[in-house]
Amino acid sequence: MPELRTQPTPNPNALKFSLADTRLLESGLLAFNSSAEAAAHPFASALFAVQGVANVFITPDFATITKHPAADWGQMMPSLREAFGDYAKNLASMS
């Protein structure tokens, strides 16, 4: 699995995630403010399945995930790593 990298953002409730040498999208941008909005996109749905996720913004090179203020990144991170790992496996199997 490609290395999952995280970077802080100016918003303490948001982190920027990227996968080494892996594009998350071919092109464009996707933004989801709820699990209902993300229902048709399997990766975004998997991210919203992680308790605490408030919104998801995906670009070809990174995804920014914003958590609810009361949520804890430490508790969320194992599930987020799993979601990114599963997505990376799916991308690899399609290429």
Side-chain angles (χ1 to χ4, degrees), residues 53-74:
V53 171
N55 93 28
V56 173
F57 178 74
I58 305 170
T59 75
D61 298 318
F62 66 89
T64 299
I65 298 172
T66 305
K67 69 175 185 68
H68 294 286
D72 177 74
W73 283 120

Side-chain angles (χ1 to χ4, degrees), residues 7 12 16-17 24 32 35 37 40 46 49 61 64 77-78 87 90 92:
Q7 291 179 274
K16 183 176 166 180
F17 294 81
L24 299 177
F32 304 97
S35 58
E37 285 182 15
D61 298 318
T64 299
M77 203 57 71
Y87 187 60
N90 288 340

Side-chain angles (χ1 to χ4, degrees), residues 13-83:
N13 291 318
L15 285 176
K16 183 176 166 180
F17 294 81
S18 60
L19 288 168
D21 303 320
T22 302
R23 291 177 63 80
L24 299 177
L25 297 174
E26 285 298 316
S27 63
L29 306 170
L30 298 173
F32 304 97
N33 293 309
S34 69
S35 58
E37 285 182 15
H41 193 276
F43 178 47
S45 291
L47 295 173
F48 271 102
V50 177
Q51 188 167 349
V53 171
N55 93 28
V56 173
F57 178 74
I58 305 170
T59 75
D61 298 318
F62 66 89
T64 299
I65 298 172
T66 305
K67 69 175 185 68
H68 294 286
D72 177 74
W73 283 120
Q75 292 178 347
M76 297 170 67
M77 203 57 71
S79 298
L80 291 171
R81 286 187 193 287
E82 183 177 345

